[in-house]
Amino acid sequence: MDKPYDLEERTFLFAKECRHYIKILPKTISNIEDGKQLIRSSGSVGANYIEANEKLSDRDLVFRLKVARKEAKESKYWLCLLHDLNPEEQTFSESLLLEIEQLWKILSTIITKTTH
């Protein structure tokens, strides 16, 4: 499947897919707690990217992009934990890990180009 070119849409789809992933995991205490963290951080990637697009200044743009990138890194952390602890669902989590890595790289590139 081709990824959407629109980063707002792409980050929305990532957050949505994370929610689908959480639904299929066994309901253990660690999956529930780690899943809550993943839901927060995955949604925050897109929310902060949207805020960056509504920038008040160039400084605000870079700040919001850095927050979105930080949330992407946090999302990767929670996904790695869930991935390692739920081997039966690794096909799903592998695609999410790939996507968050790509989103992190895209955000990093935008930050670099905006600050230079």
Side-chain angles (χ1 to χ4, degrees), residues 46-82:
N48 278 287
Y49 179 73
I50 288 168
E51 283 193 41
N53 285 336
E54 300 297 323
K55 66 180 181 165
L56 301 172
S57 65
D58 287 343
R59 192 171 166 187
D60 184 52
L61 168 71
V62 172
F63 173 74
R64 294 291 171 197
L65 288 171
K66 285 182 176 181
V67 172
R69 183 178 65 180
K70 178 187 82 66
E71 295 294 337
K73 196 169 189 175
E74 184 178 333
S75 294
K76 183 178 177 183
Y77 175 82
W78 298 115
L79 275 169
C80 284
L81 267 175
L82 290 163

Side-chain angles (χ1 to χ4, degrees), residues 4 8 17 20 27 52 55 63 66 78 103-104 112 116:
E8 282 188 27
E17 289 301 310
H20 288 305
K27 304 299 180 235
K55 66 180 181 165
F63 173 74
K66 285 182 176 181
W78 298 115
L103 289 170
W104 187 89
T112 301
H116 289 97

Side-chain angles (χ1 to χ4, degrees), residues 38-50:
L38 176 59
I39 286 170
R40 285 184 196 100
S41 62
S42 67
S44 191
V45 174
N48 278 287
Y49 179 73
I50 288 168

Side-chain angles (χ1 to χ4, degrees), residues 91-107:
T91 303
F92 200 141
S93 56
E94 282 172 3
S95 67
L96 290 171
L97 283 164
L98 221 128
E99 177 65 356
I100 198 58
E101 187 66 31
Q102 289 176 0
L103 289 170
W104 187 89
K105 287 177 182 177
I106 292 167
L107 291 165

